């Protein structure tokens, strides 16, 4: 496989970023502005409810964006997913069908839909290749989210096959960075640990509780680096198969906790709570295809952690987010 040629997004093109107030959508907007794309169509979830089919179709018909990044989703960590499967299922299914079919009807020239590595089989061979999708049973803690995201991913392939629409899908890994959710229960592990260690440092707490055994392995990707890769895919990749996009590097939750403690400057004990679920034992993505095609990540976990902690502190100081 050789590096793919670039077909640049015209700088004046009208681009819809669905979910721009979320962590991923926000990073895509930053990246697009950085490369000079300013003709962005952005709607908050209050302005446009993507689960409302009529509203979504009408919006797309009147705006007629040329490019679309579908980063809108109901997301959450292991606990939030397992508590609200109906919501995670129906909302993500509705967003996928409304945005993708609406984009088809409105003649969107190119669309990128985002999946997530947790939609691969729970016990997929590691590192997980694109072709491992739909080859085994899903992880039960996020089955609803996974089924909805698989539907969105496959819809892109079917619209390409039946109508020739240039719709592609990307499979990011566990993401983190500015704009993340730092809620103590509903967030993903990395922001949850930043918050826990930060608060423990301030209060002088002797220990911090980390959920599960500490043994699960995860791959973490800094969201602005992901956005670079998504824009790269938009400009280089067209194909029915989705693309894995990550760092190809993994750490255990115990190692992550140690790294977060070091970044935050917390020196107390780290205690594991095995009564909380571990989730998938391991999910490392095989990124050899996107590497061969010409994209590689640049920001590693340590650097991303420092940037994210700096952002978290800024938000605390501004008092805007109410954490
Ligand atoms: O990030 P996380 O919630 O999601 O949990 P998943 C990852 C691992 O970190 C699990 C452990 O083994 C957790 O038990 N962990 C330790 C913690 N301490 C904490 C904590 O304070 N908070 C959280 N949240 N976890 C998600 C899926 O799975 O992956 C989503 O549920 C999504 O659907 C996301 O796709 C990427 O990596 O297990």
């Amino acid at each position: 496989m050789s590096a793919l040629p670039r077909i640049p997004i015209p700088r004046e093109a009208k681009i819809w970023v669905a979910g721009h107030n979320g962590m991923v959508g926000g990073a895509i907007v930053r990246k697009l502005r950085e490369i000079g794309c300013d003709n962005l169509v952005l709607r908050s979830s209050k302005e446009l409810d993507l689960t409302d089919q009529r509203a979504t179709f009408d919006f797309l018909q009147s705006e007629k964006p040329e490019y679309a990044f579908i980063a809108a989703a109901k997301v959450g960590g292991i606990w939030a997913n397992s508590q609200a499967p109906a919501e995670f299922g129906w909302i993500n299914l509705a967003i996928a069908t409304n945005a993708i079919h609406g984009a088809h009807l409105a003649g969107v020239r190119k669309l990128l839909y985002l999946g997530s590595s947790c939609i691969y089989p729970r016990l997929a061979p590691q590192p997980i290749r694109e072709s491992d999708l739909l080859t085994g049973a899903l992880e039960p803690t996020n089955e609803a989210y996974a089924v909805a995201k698989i539907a969105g991913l496959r819809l892109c392939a079917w619209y390409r096959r039946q109508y020739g629409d240039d719709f592609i899908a990307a499979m990011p890994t566990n993401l983190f960075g500015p704009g993340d959710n730092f809620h103590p229960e509903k967030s993903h592990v990395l922001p949850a640990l930043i918050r826990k260690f930060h608060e423990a440092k301030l209060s002088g707490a002797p220990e911090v509780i980390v959920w599960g055994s500490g043994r699960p392995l995860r791959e973490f990707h800094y969201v602005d680096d992901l956005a670079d890769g998504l824009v790269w895919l938009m400009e280089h990749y067209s194909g029915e198969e989705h693309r894995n996009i990550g760092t190809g590097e993994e750490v255990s939750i115990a190692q992550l906790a140690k790294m977060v403690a070091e970044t935050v400057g917390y020196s107390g004990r780290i205690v594991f709570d095995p009564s909380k679920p571990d989730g998938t034992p391991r999910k490392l993505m095989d990124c050899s295809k996107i590497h061969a095609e010409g994209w590689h990540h640049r920001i590693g976990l340590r650097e991303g952690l420092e940037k994210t902690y700096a952002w978290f502190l800024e938000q605390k100081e501004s008092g805007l987010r109410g954490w």
Side-chain angles (χ1 to χ4, degrees):
M1 210 182 291
S2 58
L4 296 175
R6 174 166 175 243
I7 302 170
I9 303 173
R11 287 342 187 209
E12 68 287 358
K14 194 184 245 196
I15 307 172
W16 176 38
V17 181
H20 73 286
N21 283 326
M23 175 173 69
V24 176
I28 295 171
V29 167
R30 286 195 288 280
K31 183 69 201 176
L32 288 171
R33 292 201 166 127
E34 184 192 309
I35 63 170
C37 291
D38 282 318
N39 190 6
L40 306 182
V41 188
L42 309 173
R43 294 286 184 283
S44 68
S45 53
K46 285 204 180 71
E47 291 163 333
L48 172 65
D49 176 2
L50 291 173
T51 65
D52 180 338
Q53 187 175 73
R54 191 69 274 145
T56 307
F57 288 4
D58 287 350
F59 157 77
L60 284 161
Q61 283 302 334
S62 69
E63 286 293 344
K64 293 223 176 289
E66 294 164 74
Y67 292 82
F69 289 86
I70 311 302
K74 177 167 178 66
V75 297
I78 193 165
W79 186 83
N81 264 272
S82 52
Q83 295 304 301
E87 262 178 70
F88 275 82
W90 91 263
I91 292 175
N92 288 309
L93 276 168
I95 292 174
T97 56
N98 295 345
I100 293 170
H101 190 61
H104 165 71
L105 295 176
V108 168
R109 177 163 148 196
K110 189 156 187 177
L111 173 146
L112 187 152
Y113 177 83
L114 274 117
S116 162
S117 61
C118 68
I119 80 182
Y120 281 121
R122 171 180 159 77
L123 299 176
Q126 308 282 325
I128 313 173
R129 292 159 309 169
E130 282 87 351
S131 56
D132 292 319
L133 189 69
L134 290 170
T135 56
L138 297 166
E139 156 62 32
T141 51
N142 58 226
E143 185 201 16
Y145 178 79
V147 169
K149 283 284 174 182
I150 292 171
L153 215 76
R154 296 306 301 148
L155 275 168
C156 291
W158 300 329
Y159 276 70
R160 172 179 297 278
R161 206 181 295 168
Q162 184 173 345
Y163 302 118
D165 289 333
D166 195 358
F167 291 180
I168 60 171
M171 194 79 103
T173 182
N174 284 39
L175 302 170
F176 70 100
D180 211 341
N181 170 11
F182 289 79
H183 188 279
E185 278 93 35
K186 293 183 184 166
S187 65
H188 289 105
V189 60
L190 194 147
L193 293 186
I194 288 184
R195 180 173 175 162
K196 284 185 188 174
F197 284 110
H198 175 78
E199 288 176 354
K201 182 178 86 169
L202 294 190
S203 68
E207 62 183 38
V208 165
I209 309 286
V210 175
W211 297 353
S213 65
R215 283 193 298 272
L217 295 164
R218 292 288 184 276
E219 177 184 1
F220 295 97
H221 193 191
Y222 186 65
V223 72
D224 284 278
D225 200 70
L226 167 84
D228 178 75
L230 297 176
V231 171
W232 186 92
L233 280 173
M234 196 59 124
E235 295 197 319
H236 292 81
Y237 181 70
S238 283
E240 223 183 79
E241 192 178 56
H242 60 276
R243 275 292 168 267
N244 284 349
I245 174 163
T247 65
E249 295 159 9
E250 63 185 345
V251 289
S252 70
I253 297 301
Q255 285 169 314
L256 175 75
K258 203 163 159 273
M259 284 173 87
V260 175
E262 283 162 11
T263 306
V264 167
Y266 174 76
S267 48
R269 269 180 301 136
I270 298 174
V271 177
F272 295 94
D273 173 5
S275 72
K276 292 282 193 311
D278 270 348
T280 300
R282 192 178 175 201
K283 50 176 170 180
L284 177 66
M285 291 205 304
D286 183 331
C287 295
S288 52
K289 285 195 173 169
I290 197 169
H291 289 167
E293 288 165 351
W295 184 85
H296 207 284
H297 83 281
R298 279 178 284 205
I299 301 180
L301 176 55
R302 178 77 65 181
E303 184 185 347
L305 260 179
E306 278 161 16
K307 286 173 185 282
T308 307
Y309 185 49
W311 183 86
F312 171 82
L313 291 177
E314 271 170 34
Q315 303 304 305
K316 293 283 277 181
E317 269 166 36
S318 73
L320 287 177
R321 294 196 182 243
W323 303 324

